[in-house]
Amino acid sequence: MKNKKAVFITIEGCEGCGKTTQSELLKKYLESKGLTVVLTREPGGSIVAEQVRNILLNPDFNVAPFCELMLYEASRAQHLEDVIKPNLQKGHVVICDRFTDSTLAYQGYARGIDKEVIKKLNNIATSGLKPDLTIYLDINPNKGIKKAKTVNKGNLTGGDRIERESLKFHNNVRKGFLELAKKYPDRIKKVKTSEIIEKTQKEINKEIDKFFKKKKIYV
Ligand code: TMP
């Protein structure tokens, strides 16, 4: 499915970890190395998938856990066809702000849905596509959730539907990410989030340089 030069990077983490800022900085960094980079996100990233995102994050909706899982997977299946696959086929670098690890962490570790079921659904929605590299930005949810709720997302004062979950929920999300990082150390690189954006960026770029040098894409 992928062009040989294509690289698929995902950025993961709990609420308020700075993924979005760091994804944008990473795009600029890789562009400065002469690469063509597409930055996208989940849930969402394409017209239909963004509509699914609106349902998923609307705090006025009461969404049943399995419906929530299926909507994340539906958004992913659409996004894969619209954005991820075509760009990888062209040999571009695709950076995705959240992907399948988020589903395991949020719907599996925190919501309590059987992780084997999630793995199967992730596999179906992605046609088996796995990230080449995942940067996991680690933050204590105690800090992160406060930060996330202050970011202006339209009229969502008090946070979106997921941000409004309990601290216990968000601690379980973090536990999930930490376990996944331990389980897949070759793919998932844990970076501790610093209050100083440039410090976090430097740590991410170290992992990125290591990966791209190993792949002999730039040296
Ligand atoms: P974000 O793009 O602002 O990080 O918001 C997306 C929210 O959706 C965030 O709270 C994490 C959550 N999420 C899941 O629960 N499962 C998933 O599979 C994905 C991709 C995101």
Side-chain angles (χ1 to χ4, degrees), residues 14 136 138-141 170-178:
C14 293
Y136 162 60
D138 189 47
I139 191 169
N140 186 328
H170 291 290
N171 279 326
N172 284 334
V173 171
R174 184 192 194 194
K175 196 175 144 217
F177 278 129
L178 288 170

Side-chain angles (χ1 to χ4, degrees), residues 89-154:
Q89 275 161 356
K90 283 182 204 153
H92 297 162
V93 176
V94 175
I95 302 173
C96 192
D97 181 339
R98 295 197 185 280
F99 197 58
T100 45
D101 294 310
S102 274
T103 322
L104 276 166
Y106 282 81
Q107 280 65 52
Y109 286 87
R111 199 68 87 200
I113 299 176
D114 186 338
K115 295 182 204 59
E116 290 310 310
V117 170
I118 298 177
K119 278 188 206 162
K120 277 188 193 142
L121 289 173
N122 275 346
N123 215 32
I124 292 167
T126 60
S127 316
L129 178 75
K130 304 263 183 307
D132 297 301
L133 175 71
T134 297
I135 302 289
Y136 162 60
L137 296 180
D138 189 47
I139 191 169
N140 186 328
N142 233 332
K143 267 195 207 164
I145 200 70
K146 278 189 207 123
K147 208 178 121 201
K149 285 183 179 178
T150 60
V151 174
N152 191 348
K153 286 189 185 170

